[in-house]
Structure formats: structure tokens, C-alpha cells
Amino acid sequence: MESRYNFKRITVVPPSKDLVDIVLSKTQRKTPTVIHKHYSIVRIRGFYMRKIKYCQQTIHDKLSTIITDFPNIQDLHPFYCDLLSLLYNRDHYKLALGQINTARHLIDNVAKDYVRLMKYGDTLYRCKQLKKAALGRMVKILKRQAQNLTYLEEVRQHVSRLPSIDPNTRTIIICGFPNVGKSSFINKITNADVEVQPYAFTTKSLYVGHTDYKFNRYQVVDTPGILDHPMEEMNTIEMQAITALTHLRAIVLFVMDLSEQCQKTVEEQVSLFHSITPLFKNKPLMVVSNKSDVITLEDLPQDKQELVKGLSSDSVPFFQMSTVSQEGVMAVRNEACQRLLDFRVESKLNTKRVQDVANRLFVAMPKKRDDVDRPPVIPAGVQQKKEKAAKRRKLERDIELEQGDDYTLDLRKEWDLKNPADRYDNIPEIFNGKNVADFIDPEIDTKLGKLMEEERLREEAGFYDLPSEDDDEKELEAQLEKIQEQRKLKRLEAIDKRNNNRSIMPRSASLARGRKRKREESAGPSESAEGRSASASQARSVTASRTRSQTRDRSGLRDETMVTKAKKISRKAQKPRNHQAKKGEGDRVILNMKPKHLFAGKRKSGKTDRR
């Protein structure tokens, strides 16, 4: 039995229409959507069987989640059981879950029947119609559960807002008439934030806060106000308080308002106390008077004092407090926690379990074996270890543990100085824990004189002299000459490169230059550099003209067979090679990322909501 149930973990229950849309859309997305009539009949049957089975499994999972998440009435603590029965009819709740479970079994049977019938489908049309009928029947069963799903969602929303109350932990229950200061008290002693207003029934449900006392956690339950009338006439708000008082093992604080600002007289409050006394059976009880800053028990008339004092006894103490001035609030809290702790200890000691545990305990008492006196002896080795430990130098950590908060780290106390009183000088010259002034070299003046003499001799020898300006100028001129020479070489290399890479002259220009060269040769036998360059360009132009006699697509090919083969290879290379539909860096096609089953194909006339 789970005594503390977390209602916030219940999943959201969708309406029937949304549930149908979710199931059918998921079936369409997760199963194949393309089938052709030329497929074999076995393949067509398997195609539609998968759709039916997937739809049935999706619905089965959704309904199973709903049934599992909602608590079973029989498995709940009586407090939660009565609270659910009070807020929502227990029979209606069980009936709704039972019908959801029945719908789940019906859908499973429908899918099983149509999968069996699908084995006899002999055409694409018959298989498709069977699939259509199966999905339609399953959806129809779901739509019939619309009221049950709506009801369960309302239950989930309401119970998820209920506080998480542990019926078996240390609990303090605050009860009394409306507007007597119960919510103000719980706000003062816990971290709860309960709404406080100067009118009755501000608190309409149970609220829980937590407080600590002697390193134990206590939960404090604030209940709605209770009116003094029979149980049959109480409303739902009051019955929540009655349920908490009945089933929770806790100490009860009955809060009163002696100033009568709650619109109830002292007599009516005493009457309410006596009417709900049966609910306090086997529970520790305290009577608390709030608003002591307005009026105290001693300020009341004698007859009212007698009524209030009649409520208290040795087992039922009476306390006064004020949530406005906070006088007596913590005293009431501490007394309630202590009384509850003592009550729980006593109740555990009175159970059979304590006796069983005590019977398993055995304390051995040693007996003397003879009359010889054997006093306790510490072995010599152990004694020596203790003495060595006592003589061990105290570490800084040991001193820190001894002094505690008064400890301060002193780094100077271990300095090795000639005069220990100099450890705490204001500006000591310290190096590696030693004062330099105490360990100075006595021959320092002699060594310093030798060093000064060495420096003087170096200066006279010109060791520190800087080079002259004339030497710097000569070095700069040499570097400048090197740079200019490199520039000349770069310029000549560029000119030579430009001459070698000249474009080929057209044939007419080359012929004209050839005629000019012949005239020069007839004029004289000497061959100039210009003539030699002209002959070289003429030879290059002739070679280029021969090369250009073939088109570019035939250059380098022997015959027509090679040309045809090269063109064929070129056409094949230009075809797309993405046969496996893998996107890569070379893909230039922007794919359509829309879901194909929703946007592909031509829609016929008729309904547009088909799946």
C-alpha cells in the first residue's frame, strides 16, 4: 500500500477528438504510405496489416498510460481514499476507469478480428476496405469514451493541485471556527504562504507547511473552518477538515478566538469543541487561544472563564498567543512538537514490535574464572607509542584544532634570528626565513672595492665604447648596394619572362615581318638580333596555325572512333550519380522537405480530411 501518492505525475488526458487525431496521424507517419496494384497480394496484405496493428498498439499504449497513472482506490491510504471520494464520487471514478479499460479490450479484439479477415483479402480494393473499416471501428470506440476522458481530465486537474501529505509522518493539525487565525499561525511557523483575509472560509482546501524542531521535520496541516452543525449538513470544504482529523495520526491544535472577532461567541466555540471531540480520540490535543493582544483569558467574565478552563486538563493544556505580536507563537509550536514526539515514542513502546526487538537483545555480563586479581595493564609497546606521540612536535594543524576560532596563523615565530626579539620588527629584511642583516659578509667592503677597480679598468680599455658613426654609414651603404643589385636582377628576370610568354602573332603579321626580314638580308649579310627574334616568332606562328587547324573537341584524338568514345564518356560523366539519394557537398538540388503522404499526388473531388 502506497501511503503517499504523488498526484502530480498523472499524465494529461486528451479529449477524444484530439486523441483520435494523434493516433491516426501517428499511424500515417510511422507506416508505409505508397502501395500499387501491381504488387503481389501477400505484400498488399502485409502493408495494410501493419497499419491496423500499429493503430491498435498506439491506442492501447495511450489508454494503458491513463489507466496506470490514475491511482487505484484500494491501494490508497484511507485519508486519500476518503478525500477522493469526497471531492469526486468514488463509484463514478471507478466506473470511468473501468469503461476506459473495457474500450481498450474492445479495440484489441477489433484489430485481432480484422487482421484475421485481412488474410482472406484477394485484391487491393478489398484489403483497403478492410483497413478502412478496422480503423473506423477503433476510432468509433474511442469517440464513445468522450465523457469519461473529459471527466478524468477534470479529476486530474483537481487532484494535482492537492498538497502532498504524508499520513504517517509527524503531523500537526490546526482546526477551529473560520476566521480565528489558523492560517496566520501556519504562516508564522512554516514556509507556507496561505491566503489570509478578514472574512470566513478564506481557506477552502487543505494547506501544508513544514517546520523543524530538534532536527526533525514536522508537517503542519491548515484545515478549512468547521461550523457547529451535524455531519450530514457539512459542505465539501468542512468535510476536508473532518477527513484530516479522522485519518491523520497527528496532534490537534484547537484554535479559539476569545475576542469573538470571528463572529462566534465563546459558548459556540466551546460547543464546537465538544461536538468534534470523538474525532480527537487517540490523538494528543491542545487548546490555543489566539488574539491575546486584544483580550486574554483573565479579562473574560467569570462564567466564560469557567467554560474555557473546562476544556483544559492535564492531558489537554491551554495556551494563549497572538499572531500579530507573535507573542507565544513559538512556545505553542515547541510544545506541540514535543507532545507529539512523546506520544509517538509511547505508542511505539506499547506495541508488540518493541517486545520482539527487546527479546533479541542480549547483554553479556563477564564472570570471574578464579580469585586472581587482574587489573588493567597497558602493554609497554603501546605506552612507548603514547609517549612518542606526546613528545611529537605540535603541528600548525594541531594548534588550530586546539585554539579553534581564536587561532591566527603566525609565520614569523619559526624564523631563525640571532636576536629572537627581532622577529616582529616592522620592516625586517628576510630571505629564506633568515634576517639578512644578521648574516652579512664582513669582507663586503673589500669585495666591493675590487669590483669598482675592475669596472674602472674596463672603461679605460674601451670595453663599453659604442661604435663610431662612420662605421655605421659604411655598413648602411653596403646594404643599399646589395638591395639595388637585387632589384636589377629581378627587373631583368621579369623582362626575360615577359618576352618568352608573348602571345602568338597572327599569320598576316608574321608574313609581313618575314618579308621585312628578307629585305634586310638582301641589304646586307649581317644578322641582327631583331631578325633572329622575327624568325623565331614566325616559326611559332606556323606551329600554332597547324595546331589550330583542328577543333578543340578533336585535339589529341587520332580518329573518329576515339572522338565518338570521348563524347560518350563526357555525356556519362555529366549525368547525376546520386543514385542512393545521399546528400553531399556536390548536390545542387534543393530537395522538397514536405512530408510526401500529405502533399504528394492529385486530390480527387470529395472530402479533404482523408488519411
Side-chain angles (χ1 to χ4, degrees), residues 50-105:
R50 281 199 299 273
K51 281 189 173 294
I52 296 172
K53 289 179 180 178
Y54 191 87
C55 183
Q56 173 264 332
Q57 189 62 42
T58 306
I59 298 174
H60 181 91
D61 294 342
K62 295 286 183 184
L63 297 184
S64 298
T65 303
I66 294 172
I67 295 169
T68 306
D69 284 353
F70 277 91
N72 191 356
I73 294 290
Q74 283 75 20
D75 296 339
L76 289 176
H77 190 274
F79 167 69
Y80 279 123
C81 184
D82 285 0
L83 195 60
L84 275 178
S85 181
L86 176 66
L87 299 173
Y88 288 93
N89 193 327
R90 180 187 306 184
D91 296 334
H92 193 181
Y93 173 79
K94 293 169 68 175
L95 188 63
L97 287 178
Q99 289 182 353
I100 295 291
N101 190 28
T102 303
R104 180 179 62 175
H105 290 306

Side-chain angles (χ1 to χ4, degrees), residues 550 554-563:
Q550 291 183 349
R554 295 172 178 270
S555 62
L557 303 176
R558 288 194 304 273
D559 50 12
E560 287 296 327
T561 306
M562 289 188 67
V563 172

Side-chain angles (χ1 to χ4, degrees), residues 14-21 142-147 149-150:
S16 61
K17 186 177 182 303
D18 294 348
L19 188 58
V20 169
D21 292 341
L142 267 186
K143 288 183 177 179
R144 286 177 181 169
Q145 303 300 320
Q147 292 184 349
L149 294 173
T150 305

Side-chain angles (χ1 to χ4, degrees), residues 254-271:
F254 183 79
V255 183
M256 300 178 64
D257 181 10
L258 301 182
S259 65
E260 301 182 355
Q261 292 180 355
C262 62
Q263 310 301 325
K264 299 295 179 182
T265 63
V266 175
E267 291 80 2
E268 289 176 327
Q269 297 180 54
V270 172
S271 175

Side-chain angles (χ1 to χ4, degrees), residues 254 256 258 260 265-271 273-274 287 297 300-313 318:
F254 183 79
M256 300 178 64
L258 301 182
E260 301 182 355
T265 63
V266 175
E267 291 80 2
E268 289 176 327
Q269 297 180 54
V270 172
S271 175
F273 178 84
H274 290 301
V287 179
L297 180 63
L300 289 176
Q302 189 63 31
D303 55 344
K304 293 185 178 180
Q305 286 188 28
E306 295 297 332
L307 283 174
V308 175
K309 290 179 180 179
L311 302 180
S312 62
S313 62
F318 178 80

